[in-house]
Amino acid sequence: MEQLKHECGVAMIRLLKPQAYYERKYGTWAYGFNKLYLMMEKQHNRGQEGAGFATVSLHTQPGEEYMFREKAEGKDAISEIFSRVDQSMTGELLMGHLRYSTTGKSGLKYVHPFLRRNNWRAKNLCLCGNFNMTNVEDIFRKITSQGQCPRLYSDSYIMLEWLGHRLDREVERLYGEAKARQLTDLDITHYIDDHVDMANVLRTAMPDYDGGYVVCGLTGSGEMFSMRDPWGIRPAFYYIDDEVVVLASERPVIQTTFNLSLEDVRELKPGEALIVNRAGKPRLEQIISRKGDSACSFERIYFSRGSDAEIYQERKKLGEQLVDQVQQAVGDDLENTVFSYIPNTAEVAYYGMMEGFRRHHREVRMEKVAWKDIKLRTFITGGAARNDLASHVYDITYGSLRPYEDNLVIIDDSIVRGTTLKESIFKILDRLHPMKIVMVSSSPQIRYPDYYGIDMARLEEFCAFRATMALIEERGLWQLVTDVYHDCRQELRKPIGEMQNCVRAVYAPFTVDEINRKIVELLRPADMQSPVQLVFQSIEGLHEACPRHHGDWYFTGYYPTPGGNKLVNQAFVNYIEKVEK
């Protein structure tokens, strides 16, 4: 499949013992850094455009640095930032981030963590996260109306300034309390440092946001916090013992790094925050009441590492549930059918599909037909020559099929834009001369943009949408398009909480099979000899395989937040008006 840029990865560690304890027990001053490095490397799949970390030391004197931050761009960013580590950076609070841009903005200034400086320790704020907000314009207007002037227009910087503003108010509240207690000078400072409560900050800042997020931060006074969105869209897991408090985007990352069982690691609940105060006391706080049950199903299908015990079984189930459709597609001729997968993320679903056939007491022929080569360097040429090089990203196992006799069933985890199928996979598979290619997707048709952290925001990117529009043109249904366009514009005039997704109507006249056949027409290369049939996972099959992850808006159009409905309506208006957004 096409590589999708998607949600980032976060990692946090709070050391609960003095530094000397870790040096004695583990034999190194760099215990915290070593663990942070492992957690970030284990999540490298979540971000290869940049990485950064930050630390806070609780035991410094005025004039000494107590907050450190390192950032770098590129696929080797993790190694680069940790190569700069020295003992002076050692701290009790450590936070790391891996970045994938889903907004098209690039450059070191967009790499997390972000840092807001102040001479008061408690007013220093370092922030990172796995998030994409749908109402950045609204928050921007709110903070600028209060007199703030953010240096960048991005959800990350705007969140930093908004949370920083609320942190300033928390410090000022504590200053008033300290004065009322008749404290003076350093006693006021110590009182503030010891009593900053990030729960107060989060409760006054986060209800304004619409989107999917896990927000993580450190303060100069020693507060560590992480909060998950109230719809449960983005994931976060944590572990607490008497030595450390740990949080990461994926559960097996914590399990492997700290040698834990599955039961040791817990999931942060929607709207909940994990907070560790300066004294090292962790607690869970419900910041916003739960608003939904929309954990991202794409995490289970593709994004998260398959080493998670539950995800591994769910991906196998996704493959197993396709057995009947696949068997029908090859006319029950399993004797003359070879099964394979697109490496590497579809491998587990492939195993599940094979187990499914065995459960039906059917023997099938399995081969590794497709291989993914190293990334080819196509910058040395252009035009048709460049496209020809790109078409060789995948290679095949010659002799794995009997030419003109065998069908080929090949499974992928998802089919989004279809570009790789058209430019590479179909062309290379056709060289084996199968009687028929059955291209299987372990996920349903992707029909709608994502606005919560996945890089697919334009309707026309999706092969399912393009196929649907082609069917509309073919059948002369342009009044439907006019009606949907009008309805979208009408929705955009309503208060955001009342908006509905009108784009769903464009798919209503067509069956999945009709759209599948049109997708094949659009993606099948003109010189290809083998016939092709598409098989997609059903929505019902998705939910049966992933019963606790109900977020399916990219398949169904049912967005969990009002901002999603607003943006999909705007996307259709932009498509009709040919606006580049």
Side-chain angles (χ1 to χ4, degrees):
M1 66 165 286
E2 311 96 307
Q3 185 72 23
L4 278 178
K5 298 177 183 178
H6 55 93
E7 58 261 29
C8 306
V10 297
M12 304 186 81
I13 301 174
R14 173 59 156 92
L15 302 179
L16 301 178
K17 304 283 189 182
Q19 288 287 346
Y21 170 89
Y22 303 96
E23 290 189 42
R24 287 195 304 269
K25 184 171 182 178
Y26 300 105
T28 175
W29 60 267
Y31 171 79
F33 279 118
N34 289 343
K35 294 299 186 183
L36 186 67
Y37 171 77
L38 281 174
M39 291 173 72
M40 293 177 70
E41 278 290 4
K42 294 293 181 183
Q43 296 182 102
H44 207 160
N45 56 298
R46 302 185 74 89
Q48 298 176 33
E49 292 185 358
F53 72 74
T55 66
V56 175
S57 175
L58 299 178
H59 306 290
T60 61
Q61 299 301 315
E64 298 176 346
E65 182 59 82
Y66 53 90
M67 292 188 82
F68 295 89
R69 178 187 62 170
E70 293 290 339
K71 303 195 296 183
E73 290 185 276
K75 62 182 179 64
D76 298 319
I78 299 176
S79 299
E80 182 177 341
I81 59 176
F82 279 94
S83 71
R84 304 173 193 164
V85 169
D86 60 50
Q87 197 163 355
S88 69
M89 299 178 180
T90 303
E92 292 78 11
L93 289 74
L94 303 96
M95 179 172 73
H97 185 266
L98 297 134
R99 182 176 192 262
Y100 255 133
S101 170
T102 61
T103 62
K105 296 177 179 177
S106 61
L108 193 62
K109 65 182 178 181
Y110 292 107
V111 176
H112 301 207
F114 301 110
L115 185 57
R116 193 175 191 259
R117 288 291 203 178
N118 194 284
N119 270 356
W120 288 70
R121 284 187 67 136
K123 287 188 175 183
N124 285 266
L125 177 64
C126 196
L127 193 71
C128 76
N130 168 14
F131 53 77
N132 201 60
M133 303 304 185
T134 67
N135 65 334
V136 178
E137 293 179 3
D138 298 334
I139 303 297
F140 185 80
R141 282 194 297 268
K142 182 168 185 174
I143 66 176
T144 54
S145 69
Q146 296 172 345
Q148 294 193 55
C149 186
R151 294 183 295 113
L152 290 174
Y153 186 85
S154 74
D155 54 3
S156 304
Y157 265 97
I158 291 169
M159 179 175 285
L160 176 72
E161 293 302 332
W162 182 228
L163 279 169
H165 170 71
R166 301 316 305 171
L167 179 60
D168 289 348
R169 300 291 82 78
E170 169 71 2
V171 171
E172 290 160 11
R173 180 186 70 81
L174 292 170
Y175 180 83
E177 283 187 5
K179 294 292 285 184
R181 293 170 180 263
Q182 299 184 336
L183 300 179
T184 59
D185 300 330
L186 284 177
D187 289 337
I188 294 177
T189 301
H190 294 153
Y191 180 85
I192 292 171
D193 288 349
D194 291 339
H195 291 86
V196 168
D197 188 349
M198 283 306 300
N200 293 336
V201 175
L202 293 170
R203 285 197 179 97
T204 56
M206 297 313 295
D208 291 304
Y209 280 98
D210 182 296
Y213 57 83
V214 172
V215 179
C216 303
L218 313 174
T219 70
S221 57
E223 290 262 326
M224 184 179 94
F225 64 92
S226 180
M227 180 183 167
R228 190 180 183 193
D229 68 78
W231 300 274
I233 297 171
R234 298 273 70 86
F237 298 86
Y238 67 93
Y239 168 73
I240 302 172
D241 64 17
D242 63 344
E243 290 187 356
V244 293
V245 178
V246 181
L247 181 133
S249 294
E250 298 188 24
R251 177 169 52 191
V253 169
I254 301 176
Q255 288 181 248
T256 301
T257 302
F258 292 91
N259 192 25
L260 303 171
S261 67
L262 183 148
E263 293 76 19
D264 294 327
V265 183
R266 299 185 177 183
E267 187 170 7
L268 202 61
K269 296 176 182 176
E272 189 176 56
L274 172 64
I275 299 172
V276 188
N277 67 8
R278 178 180 173 82
K281 182 179 179 180
R283 73 186 195 276
L284 296 167
E285 289 274 351
Q286 193 70 38
I287 303 299
I288 303 175
S289 297
R290 185 173 188 153
K291 294 184 178 181
D293 182 17
S294 299
C296 176
S297 59
F298 238 124
E299 282 281 350
R300 320 302 282 185
I301 297 165
Y302 171 62
F303 293 144
S304 292
R305 289 162 62 96
S307 56
D308 183 281
E310 291 181 354
I311 291 175
Y312 183 77
Q313 294 302 323
E314 289 171 9
R315 290 181 182 174
K316 287 180 70 176
K317 184 71 172 176
L318 286 167
E320 180 185 344
Q321 291 178 161
L322 292 161
V323 166
D324 289 343
Q325 290 188 71
V326 170
Q327 191 163 319
Q328 184 178 357
V330 297
D332 205 27
D333 185 12
L334 299 181
E335 183 178 344
N336 296 307
T337 300
V338 171
F339 289 80
S340 193
Y341 62 92
I342 300 296
N344 293 316
T345 53
E347 185 174 3
V348 178
Y350 169 73
Y351 293 149
M353 186 166 65
M354 297 302 93
E355 285 188 11
F357 276 105
R358 285 195 289 272
R359 285 197 180 95
H360 286 70
H361 306 290
R362 305 300 300 268
E363 291 298 323
V364 294
R365 295 163 56 198
M366 300 177 292
E367 301 286 354
K368 185 164 183 179
V369 171
W371 299 79
K372 190 169 186 179
D373 286 340
I374 59 172
K375 188 172 183 179
L376 296 173
R377 300 294 182 180
T378 60
F379 57 82
I380 58 174
T381 186
R386 183 187 182 99
N387 291 337
D388 181 63
L389 285 174
S391 72
H392 290 80
V393 171
Y394 289 90
D395 207 343
I396 50 171
T397 303
Y398 291 95
S400 55
L401 271 71
R402 294 174 300 190
Y404 307 107
E405 294 184 34
D406 288 332
N407 301 310
L408 172 61
V409 174
I410 190 156
I411 189 170
D412 202 348
D413 46 44
S414 57
I415 299 171
V416 186
R417 301 174 181 94
T419 308
T420 307
L421 285 180
K422 184 172 184 175
E423 298 298 333
S424 180
I425 294 173
F426 281 160
K427 290 180 178 180
I428 204 77
L429 294 179
D430 196 43
R431 295 183 181 183
L432 294 172
H433 306 295
M435 285 289 291
K436 180 181 185 180
I437 296 174
V438 179
M439 189 74 219
V440 183
S441 170
S442 65
S443 68
Q445 288 178 353
I446 297 171
R447 298 181 170 190
Y448 304 93
D450 178 82
Y451 300 108
Y452 307 116
I454 306 172
D455 181 25
M456 44 185 199
R458 293 167 61 87
L459 283 163
E460 56 268 37
E461 293 179 350
F462 308 122
C463 57
F465 180 80
R466 297 198 307 272
T468 301
M469 297 306 291
L471 286 170
I472 287 172
E473 182 174 12
E474 184 179 278
R475 300 184 188 181
L477 299 176
W478 280 110
Q479 186 59 47
L480 171 62
V481 175
T482 302
D483 292 344
V484 172
Y485 172 70
H486 177 267
D487 291 344
C488 287
R489 288 179 60 88
Q490 288 294 107
E491 289 296 306
L492 291 169
R493 296 187 180 99
K494 295 180 180 178
I496 189 170
E498 298 177 12
M499 293 183 192
Q500 301 295 318
N501 176 6
C502 297
V503 183
R504 297 183 73 248
V506 301
Y507 293 100
F510 312 109
T511 66
V512 170
D513 286 341
E514 286 175 319
I515 296 173
N516 283 353
R517 289 194 291 271
K518 184 55 69 173
I519 292 173
V520 170
E521 287 183 29
L522 296 179
L523 300 185
R524 190 172 179 273
D527 57 350
M528 185 176 181
Q529 300 298 312
S530 308
V532 177
Q533 182 174 342
L534 289 180
V535 171
F536 281 91
Q537 180 68 255
S538 67
I539 299 297
E540 296 76 17
L542 169 70
H543 291 309
E544 184 178 343
C546 308
R548 297 192 299 111
H549 288 72
H550 300 147
D552 62 4
W553 52 91
Y554 15 71
F555 308 124
T556 65
Y558 291 118
Y559 288 90
T561 78
N565 289 326
K566 176 183 177 180
L567 292 179
V568 72
N569 288 326
Q570 187 63 59
F572 192 80
V573 171
N574 292 345
Y575 169 75
I576 297 300
E577 297 178 354
K578 307 300 181 188
V579 175
E580 296 289 335
K581 288 283 187 180

